[in-house]
Amino acid sequence: MAANILIVEDETSILELIALNLQQAGFNPIRAINAEYADNIVKETVPDLIVLDWMLPGMNGIEFLKRLRGNSLTKKIPVIMLTAKSEEDNKIMGLNAGADDYLTKPFSPRELVARIKALLRGRSPELIDEPITISELNLNPQTHQVQVDDKLIKVGPTEFKLLHFFMKNTEIVFSRNQIINKIWGNNYDVDERTVDVHIKRLRKNLAEVGKNKLIHTIRGFGYKFSEK
Amino acid sequence: MAANILIVEDETSILELIALNLQQAGFNPIRAINAEYADNIVKETVPDLIVLDWMLPGMNGIEFLKRLRGNSLTKKIPVIMLTAKSEEDNKIMGLNAGADDYLTKPFSPRELVARIKALLRGRSPELIDEPITISELNLNPQTHQVQVDDKLIKVGPTEFKLLHFFMKNTEIVFSRNQIINKIWGNNYDVDERTVDVHIKRLRKNLAEVGKNKLIHTIRGFGYKFSEK
DNA sequence: ATTTATATGTCATCTATATGTCATTTTTAA
DNA sequence: TTAAAAATGACATATAGATGACATATAAAT
């Protein structure tokens, strides 16, 4: 569920520093110590954002970036470039090559996280855990609360995940299998009917505040969360 | 943990005076003798607050301020403007440009510190280690005491840190790993279950004054401190 | 330096809550 | 009216969290 962020950085101390901070900020860091390695990772799982060091052994950052931009699958991934202070001029080259933002070393991890959030907010807001309100129903991932006005609603762990997922993806119909993959994970083996049961439980919870109608059954296809 | 405060002031005597006083007040002062220099610093580490002189050589204070407000990352940093008495009219301009407070020279360092605290209290209370009281439970980091009314509560070292952390970050759910990182430090290797044990000990301590309910278990996610 | 007290982290056990499945009932669309 | 799909209630099981005990580590006192 958390955004996958690929970090391409050859200095392992910095790599770890970044990874740790991203983890703390609720992201899922993926480490790569050079561009070749990163390239392989990208082929397997397209990350949601890339933090890319300018100076890398072998294929350098710019080259890797150009490659990313040349492929339709990876063309749109937001990229933040890391440059050393002395290479300041490179930032122009970096931005020209298609970087979305850049940061000069040394930088504060806090700022990096802030910039990542800023970029993700623009591109894929569903990946940052911000509070969501839909027809007075408010879900706050930080406080782990669901409420209407000031009335708190008790919701079990799985139901919470389910509701969060729905509220991040309103109006879209999901099959039971899609829901299982999103909530339980890809290689999890649960019965399709189990989804029905959790939907039922969630509806029961929401019924306390009269919001159970937000979850719609699409007969033959699955479920969707909709205001309409 | 101490708040980073950027001071932008061209007269080094005043700069040092301010820096000294902030240090004494437990803040971490960062010095800049002009706006260009300050700009570079801000790019590296976003400070928690800026003390900005109005009259500066080169780019003046207002210009710098406008620049700050134009960037989403720095937009929200509280800024205190310093103006000379003769420039009193400028305070209006300063506030228009987005300053959060202003102070006319000569000012007492004590007053500056007070205003800084006031601003931080509103924006990021976790940065000033002041006593915190939440539903009658009072924690004082200076005296290292926890009490309700006048009744002192005995709390072990780890439990104290834990409680302090929770009281600075109320309502937010933290995973056991996040708690470990915050309390034990980043590269410390303790079992996740250990958190449970310390939570239990803290609850036991708080139970003496009936405040154990302030710590909530969020099944499957972690713990949070909440009045609700 | 030695003793004493206090705090720490881990483990095994107990308890509460959540989970997934199934059988049954109800709803829906043709 | 009927067949398929979805809703529901019940239940056995799994899992996460609470707790008490203990051996060890750390700090304080002598």
Side-chain angles (χ1 to χ4, degrees), chain B residues 154 157-159 184 191 194 197-198 201 219:
Chain B
K154 196 174 143 32
T158 307
E159 283 71 53
W184 281 264
D191 196 281
T194 299
V197 177
H198 283 284
R201 286 170 183 159
R219 194 171 238 263

Side-chain angles (χ1 to χ4, degrees), chain B:
Chain B
M1 207 70 148
N4 294 312
I5 300 189
L6 176 64
I7 311 160
V8 194
E9 167 64 65
D10 60 313
E11 278 181 59
T12 52
S13 59
I14 298 179
L15 180 62
E16 281 312 316
L17 174 77
I18 297 174
L20 196 74
N21 276 281
L22 295 197
Q23 187 131 51
Q24 227 131 52
F27 299 116
N28 179 31
I30 302 164
R31 299 164 178 80
I33 49 151
N34 61 48
E36 288 76 14
Y37 195 59
D39 206 47
N40 282 328
I41 291 171
V42 169
K43 273 178 196 146
E44 282 170 35
T45 353
V46 177
D48 300 299
L49 185 143
I50 298 174
V51 176
L52 179 61
D53 189 17
W54 168 268
M55 286 292 272
L56 289 168
M59 193 198 313
N60 71 29
I62 280 282
E63 229 171 292
F64 177 61
L65 181 54
K66 280 185 183 156
R67 239 169 121 152
L68 286 173
R69 294 311 185 217
N71 182 327
S72 68
L73 279 168
T74 56
K75 186 159 48 189
K76 289 184 176 172
I77 305 174
V79 172
I80 297 180
M81 284 285 253
L82 302 179
T83 63
K85 223 196 209 125
S86 57
E87 307 159 353
E88 268 253 305
D89 296 338
N90 294 342
K91 78 188 180 193
I92 298 138
M93 279 175 69
L95 292 171
N96 280 344
D100 299 273
D101 202 351
Y102 69 93
L103 220 49
T104 46
K105 294 184 195 174
F107 56 86
S108 80
R110 256 182 62 198
E111 193 181 355
L112 178 60
V113 169
R115 301 229 187 169
I116 289 173
K117 282 192 177 173
L119 273 177
L120 286 179
R121 196 171 295 124
R123 310 280 192 98
S124 26
E126 76 281 6
L127 291 173
I128 35 178
D129 267 358
E130 288 186 323
I132 313 170
T133 303
I134 296 165
S135 41
E136 295 132 63
L137 181 69
N138 172 269
L139 180 145
N140 188 327
Q142 267 102 46
T143 63
H144 210 268
Q145 282 176 339
V146 181
Q147 52 190 321
V148 170
D149 301 321
D150 283 336
K151 180 162 171 53
L152 277 173
I153 304 152
K154 196 174 143 32
V155 176
T158 307
E159 283 71 53
F160 188 88
K161 279 189 224 161
L162 195 55
L163 182 60
H164 192 192
F165 169 67
F166 270 132
M167 291 184 79
K168 285 193 296 188
N169 301 284
T170 56
E171 304 298 334
I172 297 168
V173 180
F174 295 96
S175 71
R176 290 176 173 72
N177 265 320
Q178 284 177 312
I179 292 171
I180 289 170
N181 286 335
K182 292 289 182 185
I183 305 298
W184 281 264
N186 279 329
N187 32 12
Y188 219 89
D189 176 41
V190 283
D191 196 281
E192 289 218 337
R193 297 282 124 231
T194 299
V195 176
D196 297 35
V197 177
H198 283 284
I199 288 280
K200 183 213 132 204
R201 286 170 183 159
L202 179 55
R203 275 175 173 156
K204 197 181 170 191
N205 294 151
L206 294 178
E208 284 176 40
V209 289
K211 296 293 172 190
N212 52 321
K213 294 282 173 61
L214 288 168
I215 293 167
H216 300 248
T217 304
I218 310 299
R219 194 171 238 263
F221 294 88
Y223 297 95
K224 73 168 172 176
F225 187 96
S226 168
E227 290 192 84
K228 293 168 200 154

Side-chain angles (χ1 to χ4, degrees), chain A residues 103-120:
Chain A
L103 219 49
T104 47
K105 293 184 195 177
F107 56 86
S108 80
R110 254 182 64 197
E111 193 181 357
L112 177 61
V113 169
R115 300 227 185 171
I116 288 174
K117 282 192 178 171
L119 273 177
L120 287 179

